[in-house]
Amino acid sequence: MDLSIYKATPSKPLASYPTIPLKAVDEKTAKKALKRSRKALAAFQEKMYAHDKYAVLVCIQGMDTAGKDSLIREVFEDFNVRGVKQHSFKTPTPKELSHGYLWRHYIALPSKGSFGIFNRTHYENVLVTRVHPEYILNENLPTISTVDDIDEDFWKMRFEQINNFEKELSQNGTVIFKFFLNLSKEEQKNRLLRRLELPEKNWKFSPGDLKERALWPQYMNAYEQAIQHTTTDHAPWHILPADDKPMARLIACEIMRKQLEKMEDVQFPQLDPEVVANLETFKTILKDE
């Protein structure tokens, strides 16, 4: 599988990325391949936990119904629970608004040896807020009094701040993966209809989903700007074809597995020579209890 085709570049328009995989396999084959890939990924995490020098941050963004929750559930199914933690960032609380907008993301970062998953991420601060700039007023910023004060320079400043945030993480041992689940508007319509038609899915539907759907062009523009300004060597974006959920999950898992397995320095630590020399003695002590 050529995974390089899903890596974002600063000059490529978002609309040019496919929402359906160019070379897809059937669902059964994709699920089998994912099972193998996620087991290898979980095995790497166990080794990384013992090595205790790196962390992994997985950032997942996408429109409603893009498949963020199911991707997380399927890709990380084989992980030891101690090695992975998910955070889903909702509307900021008053306490969070009393700090800089990145504060709540800093305190949720994974510790060394662990995977952290941001389901909706620090990018909400240049996505939802760009479509609804009035939300910025809740941050009580010294230079922003009205929506008219929020110009292009403001968004460029935020992109620079986010790039600096991610660069700092990378320089201190956090490997960053950023995935945008690229869903077509037609497929979102189909998935929203299923939510309405299936009683067991009704609880997922909110009338607000339709209001946000009406702003699709504004969201696509916000995503394009964010991706183009923040895809970097140390924290690249990958654009997943989200109309095909099994393939999107497999592609995400394979991107992570292949990159992480290149980190040859991640190994289980060596036992102290004195301990190694006495392993048989320790076994005898235990057997003779």
Side-chain angles (χ1 to χ4, degrees):
M1 186 187 300
D2 182 8
L3 300 175
S4 64
I5 61 176
Y6 302 109
K7 190 174 182 179
T9 58
S11 58
K12 190 173 180 178
L14 185 57
S16 65
Y17 295 94
T19 61
I20 299 174
L22 300 178
K23 293 184 178 180
V25 297
D26 62 86
E27 184 174 349
K28 185 177 180 180
T29 301
K31 286 184 175 181
K32 284 185 177 180
L34 174 61
K35 188 174 182 179
R36 293 192 297 269
S37 186
R38 73 189 182 200
K39 283 186 176 180
L41 193 63
F44 177 87
Q45 190 281 319
E46 284 289 329
K47 188 163 53 176
M48 188 182 77
Y49 182 86
H51 188 249
D52 199 32
K53 289 187 179 180
Y54 296 101
V56 174
L57 176 63
V58 183
C59 301
I60 302 175
Q61 286 286 162
M63 297 291 284
D64 289 334
T65 77
K68 298 181 290 295
D69 293 337
S70 61
L71 184 148
I72 293 168
R73 182 184 66 244
E74 296 291 333
V75 170
F76 298 96
E77 180 178 324
D78 293 324
F79 271 52
N80 187 316
V81 293
R82 73 181 180 183
V84 60
K85 191 170 184 180
Q86 178 191 193
H87 294 272
S88 184
F89 296 98
K90 307 296 186 182
T91 303
T93 65
K95 180 178 180 180
E96 290 168 343
L97 287 170
S98 71
H99 294 79
Y101 71 94
L102 287 172
W103 176 78
R104 64 175 181 161
H105 306 288
Y106 265 111
I107 63 175
L109 290 170
S111 58
K112 292 187 185 300
S114 300
F115 274 59
I117 305 168
F118 283 4
N119 181 359
R120 296 189 183 275
T121 71
H122 45 292
Y123 283 93
E124 293 291 287
N125 299 287
V126 290
L127 294 169
V128 175
T129 53
R130 191 155 196 181
V131 177
H132 299 282
E134 64 274 14
Y135 294 169
I136 293 290
L137 302 181
N138 295 327
E139 297 182 27
N140 202 26
L141 298 173
T143 59
I144 304 296
S145 300
T146 70
V147 170
D148 292 336
D149 295 326
I150 306 171
D151 56 14
E152 285 301 310
D153 287 340
F154 175 84
W155 299 115
K156 289 179 181 179
M157 176 188 70
R158 287 227 154 163
F159 294 144
E160 183 179 358
Q161 291 169 341
I162 288 173
N163 284 334
N164 289 338
F165 167 63
E166 292 174 351
K167 185 175 182 180
E168 177 194 344
L169 298 183
S170 176
Q171 289 173 333
N172 285 280
T174 297
V175 181
I176 303 170
F177 295 98
K178 299 186 297 194
F179 298 113
F180 172 60
L181 276 62
N182 192 23
L183 183 71
S184 69
K185 191 176 183 182
E186 182 64 23
E187 179 59 20
Q188 189 197 54
K189 174 183 176 179
N190 295 335
R191 292 180 187 180
L192 287 172
L193 283 171
R194 282 197 290 274
R195 285 185 179 182
L196 292 170
E197 292 167 352
L198 298 175
E200 66 272 22
K201 300 290 186 181
N202 288 169
W203 66 273
K204 290 186 174 183
F205 180 78
S206 167
D209 295 341
L210 300 184
K211 292 181 180 179
E212 294 303 290
R213 176 176 165 79
L215 299 170
W216 188 277
Q218 292 93 316
Y219 273 106
M220 290 303 102
N221 177 65
Y223 270 110
E224 180 173 278
Q225 292 295 313
I227 290 168
Q228 289 181 341
H229 283 87
T230 63
T231 191
T232 60
D233 290 340
H234 56 270
W237 276 100
H238 288 87
I239 315 301
L240 306 182
D243 283 8
D244 185 333
K245 285 187 177 183
M247 281 299 297
R249 297 163 188 162
L250 175 59
I251 292 166
C253 196
E254 280 290 276
I255 287 170
M256 289 187 285
R257 180 187 68 80
K258 289 190 175 184
Q259 180 171 330
L260 292 173
E261 288 183 349
K262 294 177 182 177
M263 299 168 62
E264 296 180 356
D265 61 318
V266 179
Q267 300 292 335
F268 287 107
Q270 296 293 317
L271 285 174
D272 183 276
E274 185 175 343
V275 174
V276 174
N278 288 282
L279 285 179
E280 293 303 319
T281 300
F282 299 144
K283 291 179 185 177
T284 300
I285 292 172
L286 288 169
K287 290 177 180 178
D288 292 344
E289 281 185 348

